[in-house]
Amino acid sequence: MLMRHDVDVIGREIHIPHNDRAVAKNVSVDTVKLTFDTEWAECTSKVAIFKNGSVEFRAAVDGDTVQIPWEALDKPGDLYLSIVGYVGEEKRIVTEKMARPYRVRENGALAGEKPSDPTPDAVQVLLSQAGTATDAANSAAARAEAAQEAAVAGESA
């Protein structure tokens, strides 16, 4: 049911080996499978930016895939993709503008025009992941401290 778009990121360029089109009004079914060259191996996080006309949307790259936000497919037009890779807070890698964008084609008849809930922005996703990691680290530290206190109390008894 998912439409997978294969993309190669080589030499900071985005290459679309096959399917270069999408259809407007699809929601949560178009994904991009990314294959990166070795330059991207040290990136600690990656963000995909989708731009169709005036609509620009960031989405977190999960491993080597990213879902195309429905907001970028809402209207027909040229859909550009760029990838930004981060190595901590010190380095950033950015792809150049696509030479050949995806073509978002007009959709067929559609009963009802209500889109789904807004897609979470990449920054929201990354902050949520960081918060979850911080919570887990704090919980582990508290458990370790409690275990150490119990061990000390057991030795003194």
Side-chain angles (χ1 to χ4, degrees):
M1 178 180 208
L2 295 178
M3 170 63 92
R4 186 177 107 177
H5 304 273
D6 293 322
V7 169
D8 296 326
V9 182
I10 302 168
R12 299 184 191 171
E13 290 182 72
I14 292 178
H15 300 273
I16 307 170
H18 302 292
N19 188 1
D20 65 349
R21 66 183 175 83
V23 178
K25 302 296 183 190
N26 282 292
V27 177
S28 300
V29 294
D30 283 82
T31 60
V32 174
K33 165 80 169 64
L34 299 155
T35 302
F36 293 95
D37 65 16
T38 57
E39 180 181 24
W40 297 80
E42 66 179 291
C43 290
T44 52
S45 63
K46 297 178 195 97
V47 175
I49 294 104
F50 294 92
K51 183 169 176 36
N52 183 353
S54 63
V55 173
E56 188 172 293
F57 203 91
R58 299 176 297 189
V61 176
D62 184 11
D64 61 357
T65 60
V66 62
Q67 186 171 337
I68 301 176
W70 67 262
E71 293 90 342
L73 297 173
D74 195 42
K75 303 222 181 299
D78 291 332
L79 177 63
Y80 288 89
L81 166 65
S82 64
I83 306 293
V84 181
Y86 298 94
V87 180
E89 295 179 15
E90 314 86 52
K91 298 179 186 177
R92 176 181 66 205
I93 304 171
V94 182
T95 57
E96 55 183 78
K97 185 175 180 179
M98 291 174 73
R100 183 183 59 143
Y102 284 99
R103 186 78 189 130
V104 180
R105 302 206 177 180
E106 188 172 349
N107 59 287
L110 179 67
E113 292 288 316
K114 184 178 182 325
S116 70
D117 291 334
T119 305
D121 182 78
V123 172
Q124 291 172 296
V125 171
L126 294 173
L127 288 174
S128 174
Q129 290 172 346
T132 301
T134 300
D135 291 346
N138 289 339
S139 177
R143 286 193 308 273
E145 186 177 323
Q148 184 178 12
E149 288 174 5
V152 169
E155 288 174 7
S156 62

